[in-house]
Amino acid sequence: MINSVVIEGRIVKNAELKTAGTSVVTSFTIANDQSYKKNGEWVNKACFIDCNIWGEYGNAMRQYLNKGQRLIVEGILEQNNWEDSDGKKRSSYRINVKNISIQWEKKENSSPATTNSAPVEDHSLDFPPTDEEGNPF
């Protein structure tokens, strides 16, 4: 089954480094803005998505994951289920990040904005080579 998510947004607050047993995880939340028309007026709505980067790569990337930074994350959607103190079943979703593409903003009197993409780990799919028409060999 395919489980792949790509989201663009801005970081809500600086990333945090946490430990889970012997593993380290860098956690952050991004806000993805969506616009739509309602009664002839444009409405903006933000969707907030929690993200995790597992391992030392998250620790290395943490310095770039600051509030307001625009980025694109690619990863796997994970659902967490639990019961709260009242016995109600609860759930939340988060992205286990596999790739980050930081969208650097253009500053006045500087060169154009650049995009740096940095894979967390190489979990990408290896697609077979194709001919000129896109057919696999």
Side-chain angles (χ1 to χ4, degrees):
M1 299 186 118
I2 296 173
N3 182 349
S4 181
V5 178
V6 179
I7 300 284
E8 179 180 9
R10 291 192 182 271
I11 297 177
V12 174
K13 66 178 185 175
N14 294 351
E16 297 177 2
L17 183 68
K18 302 173 186 175
T19 56
T22 58
S23 301
V24 293
V25 60
T26 300
S27 300
F28 58 97
T29 301
I30 61 173
N32 173 270
D33 294 328
Q34 304 165 18
S35 298
Y36 60 93
K37 267 192 173 179
K38 183 176 181 179
N39 299 325
E41 297 287 324
W42 282 102
V43 177
N44 292 323
K45 179 180 177 182
C47 180
F48 297 93
I49 302 112
D50 293 329
C51 300
N52 284 337
I53 307 173
W54 290 91
E56 289 302 318
Y57 183 77
N59 189 27
M61 284 299 295
R62 188 170 50 122
Q63 65 181 317
Y64 304 108
L65 303 176
N66 298 310
K67 181 178 179 177
Q69 177 64 56
R70 195 170 127 237
L71 51 78
I72 299 171
V73 297
E74 299 175 57
I76 297 169
L77 187 64
E78 176 184 72
Q79 181 181 20
N80 298 308
N81 298 303
W82 71 95
E83 282 189 25
D84 66 14
S85 58
D86 296 330
K88 286 185 175 181
K89 291 185 178 183
R90 310 280 300 189
S91 85
S92 68
Y93 291 90
R94 75 179 63 245
I95 297 174
N96 283 325
V97 177
K98 302 298 178 194
N99 190 37
I100 295 177
S101 179
I102 295 176
Q103 307 295 298
W104 301 107
E105 301 290 326
K106 182 180 177 183
K107 295 183 180 179
E108 279 188 49
N109 301 324
S110 67
S111 60
T114 59
T115 301
N116 291 337
S117 183
V120 175
E121 293 179 20
D122 187 16
H123 292 291
S124 59
L125 298 174
D126 291 323
F127 292 101
T130 60
D131 61 17
E132 295 82 25
E133 296 174 357
N135 298 316
F137 291 115

